Amino acid sequence: MRRRRQRPIPPVSEQSSDAELLHAIAAGETSALRLLHHRHAGWLRARLRRRCADPDVVDAAIQDTFVAVWKDSDRYVETSADAAAWLWTIAVRRLLSTLRGPAHRWLSGPADELPDVATTPSAEELVLLGVEHGALGPALDRLSPELRRLIEATALDGLSVREAAKLLGIAEGTAKTRLMRARTRLRELLT
């Protein structure tokens, strides 16, 4: 495991910002992790539940998310992304890993062997900003919940139709039909 930062542990409280909590976690402060978990686990769970019907899978993804935060909080760069967005990215990826199971997990050497790269907004993050603030966001809001969840799972979260069907607890054929209806409805709403 990588060494923790050698700077003093900043004091943390309920009023600490997420960035301050992440810096404290990087310094080894477990109370900061507890506060961050208390602050974010609820909404992460709620959003993941919209993508996965199995509460055990969601709970495993949440647990894996905060283990990853504990191990890699020193990789968070305050200027590159909001802490909540950073946590969401980790949570979605952990959910996908959990759903794909051990046979599909990418295994590598220890985390210390991974290159330390600066975090920059990904193409996905830029698209998501466009979804929230462009014409697509209101169009998605006008879809029925089952169609919106399928579009979110496939187009935004990058799942295949088979994976999305499994995630949502529906048959693959039903997912394909709903996806076709969702795309048709989105085209109507956007033109």
Side-chain angles (χ1 to χ4, degrees), residues 2-186:
R2 217 172 317 130
R3 282 191 186 154
R4 295 288 184 186
R5 291 183 185 161
Q6 296 301 316
R7 63 180 171 174
I9 298 172
V12 293
S13 69
E14 289 285 335
Q15 289 73 39
S16 298
S17 71
D18 291 340
E20 291 169 336
L21 293 176
L22 286 165
H23 291 304
I25 293 166
E29 183 61 42
T30 57
S31 64
L33 181 65
R34 207 172 296 113
L35 283 169
L36 193 73
H37 182 274
H38 180 72
R39 189 176 289 173
H40 292 283
W43 73 263
L44 285 170
R45 183 173 284 107
R47 286 194 67 188
L48 291 176
R49 284 295 310 238
R50 289 178 38 203
R51 286 163 171 73
C52 179
D54 186 343
D56 293 332
V57 172
V58 170
D59 287 343
I62 295 290
Q63 181 176 346
D64 289 350
T65 297
F66 285 96
V67 168
V69 167
W70 176 253
K71 289 180 179 177
D72 294 325
S73 59
D74 57 340
R75 289 180 179 244
Y76 173 73
V77 179
E78 190 172 352
T79 59
S80 67
D82 177 59
W86 187 70
L87 288 169
W88 173 245
T89 301
I90 295 169
V92 166
R93 289 181 179 156
R94 297 300 168 157
L95 177 66
L96 294 177
S97 293
T98 302
L99 285 170
R100 289 179 177 147
H104 296 93
R105 290 190 186 183
W106 175 60
L107 300 176
S108 66
D112 290 342
E113 296 175 8
L114 296 176
D116 193 18
V117 294
T119 305
T120 58
S122 66
E124 177 185 64
E125 289 170 327
L126 296 174
V127 168
L128 290 175
L129 281 174
V131 168
E132 289 182 25
H133 303 291
L136 187 56
L140 283 171
D141 289 340
R142 294 181 62 194
L143 290 177
S144 66
E146 67 269 1
L147 297 182
R148 185 175 51 249
R149 281 193 296 270
L150 196 54
I151 286 289
E152 288 172 346
T154 55
L156 300 180
D157 293 340
L159 297 178
S160 68
V161 175
R162 176 177 286 144
E163 290 170 331
K166 182 178 177 183
L167 177 80
L168 298 171
I170 58 176
E172 187 176 348
T174 302
K176 288 178 182 178
T177 302
R178 287 182 185 172
L179 190 56
M180 182 181 67
R181 284 184 17 226
R183 288 178 179 154
T184 301
R185 181 73 178 127
L186 279 175

